[in-house]
Amino acid sequence: MRPKRHFMMTHAITADPILEFAADVRAGLTKPDQKELPSKYLYDSVGSGLFEVISVLPEYGLTRADERILRTHASEIVDRVPRPVVVAELGSGSGKKTRWILEALCRLQHTSYCPIEISRAALAMCARELGDIESVSIVGFEREYLDGLLEVAARRQKHQHLMVLFLGSTIGNFDRTAGERFLKEVRRILEPGDSLLLGTDLLKPIHQLIRAYDDPLGVTSAFNLHLLARVNRELDADFYLSRFEHVGFYHKAARSVELHIRSRDSQAVSIPAADLTVSFDAGETNWTESCHKYASEEVRHLAKQAGFYCNAQWIDREWPFAENLLIAE
Ligand code: AVI
């Protein structure tokens, strides 16, 4: 007999996404010092597909390390979490990695799982991926992270704890100050005893980091440059992709890999839907994403600053990556 699937989705009422995209592109490309295109726009269906490919590249060990820890330690992780518990995941993606946690938890209790995502397609994929787990009900929230989390927290019953999953080192795409601020916001929504399972990519040799973000096959380059193709498609712009190139370099002071798109020559690009013509000097770059790397003790300190204590840390041996179980104080 086919397992019964429980899936619901709540939609957000948002402003016109194209107008928002145009405003963000205009604001980013008119910055006086460093032009930028916000990294959140990398993750449309093309970008998310390319990121799935990045995550299986031999040079990019982050996702496999994350999965290895969750697969190996899921029972131990859920044993440490106060129950009964509702699970909320910030940026679930396809939901593949979450299976281990949900299966371990569903052996102990019926589990409500609430993926929070701005992408409706990712929520649907996540429901398909995880809907066959016995004793799970899935309610997807098409929301920004904190808005979605507020809603999940408001809906839980008095006796239920919350376990928040923030996997895959997405925290690393915030700069350190913004990351700490974000964790504090998450903590403010939680009650003492609630938990946060936080994935963080750890510091490693620079040559290894550079290869992970500038792979020889050029998938990360395609992932980065596709943002220009998206601006062309959605905002009627005329970026010639071959006149730009992907750059990934290590920023020592920030302890992050920075992704930029560099103009190969001096040129002007018109973006009618953003009411903008923008000039690039030869060699000038657009900053698109930063990927911060942490030391394991730094994560414990960060947790403390944000109002959590670090109950346990699991570190992968092959690819330095930590899964951190933080409990709200
Ligand atoms: C989504 N995030 C955790 C990835 C990272 O490694 O910071 C994004 C990425 N960008 C290029 N490659 C991977």
Side-chain angles (χ1 to χ4, degrees), residues 43 51 54 60 62 168-170 173 213 220 223 259 289 291 293:
Y43 298 90
F51 180 65
I54 289 174
Y60 187 82
L62 189 157
S169 198
T170 304
N173 299 129
Y213 292 92
T220 310
F223 169 74
L259 303 192
E289 192 174 48
C291 310
K293 306 300 163 188

Side-chain angles (χ1 to χ4, degrees), residues 54-257:
I54 289 174
S55 69
V56 293
L57 289 175
E59 295 81 9
Y60 187 82
L62 189 157
T63 310
R64 285 185 297 281
D66 194 15
E67 282 174 358
R68 259 193 308 274
I69 299 175
L70 295 172
R71 194 173 57 230
T72 314
H73 299 288
S75 298
E76 200 187 330
I77 292 170
V78 303
D79 271 348
R80 288 170 177 268
V81 167
R83 293 192 300 272
V85 69
V86 170
V87 178
E89 180 161 18
L90 308 179
S92 56
S94 71
K96 231 162 72 190
K97 286 180 289 193
T98 314
R99 169 172 290 276
W100 315 108
I101 294 290
L102 290 182
E103 284 183 344
L105 206 47
C106 285
R107 285 195 280 275
L108 306 170
Q109 58 157 73
H110 178 96
T111 305
S112 297
Y113 168 58
C114 307
I116 301 166
E117 260 289 345
I118 46 169
S119 155
R120 191 175 296 186
L123 283 176
M125 196 167 25
C126 181
R128 278 198 303 275
E129 175 73 30
L130 301 170
D132 67 330
I133 299 175
E134 216 170 300
S135 295
V136 75
S137 321
I138 305 179
V139 183
F141 288 80
E142 191 187 339
R143 301 274 193 286
E144 298 278 348
Y145 295 154
L146 295 174
D147 292 344
L149 188 58
L150 265 172
E151 210 170 319
V152 175
R155 286 177 178 214
R156 66 150 138 192
Q157 290 168 16
K158 262 208 148 46
H159 68 287
Q160 290 177 316
H161 293 283
L162 250 185
M163 177 187 197
V164 181
L165 309 179
F166 196 29
L167 306 174
S169 198
T170 304
I171 184 86
N173 299 129
F174 293 105
D175 68 38
R176 281 180 156 73
T177 314
E180 182 175 328
R181 202 180 317 126
F182 182 78
L183 288 189
K184 283 182 174 159
E185 301 276 353
V186 170
R187 171 62 192 88
R188 209 166 296 144
I189 298 171
L190 301 184
E191 299 290 343
D194 289 342
S195 54
L196 168 63
L197 186 63
L198 178 70
T200 48
D201 199 25
L202 300 180
L203 289 161
K204 47 188 68 62
I206 294 173
H207 70 269
Q208 197 179 356
L209 285 173
I210 297 294
R211 276 176 70 80
Y213 292 92
D214 194 4
D215 61 276
L217 199 55
V219 185
T220 310
S221 168
F223 169 74
N224 200 7
L225 290 172
H226 107 276
L227 189 43
L228 301 186
R230 181 172 180 188
V231 178
N232 283 350
R233 206 168 50 242
E234 295 183 16
L235 304 181
D236 293 326
D238 57 3
F239 279 102
Y240 279 90
L241 267 59
S242 58
R243 293 175 71 178
F244 291 87
E245 63 190 344
H246 162 72
V247 189
F249 64 89
Y250 187 68
H251 188 309
K252 212 168 165 190
R255 281 164 287 149
S256 72
V257 180

Side-chain angles (χ1 to χ4, degrees), residues 31-43:
K31 290 220 158 156
D33 297 325
Q34 170 68 68
K35 293 185 172 70
E36 63 183 64
L37 288 167
S39 62
K40 68 174 179 178
Y41 294 111
L42 285 164
Y43 298 90

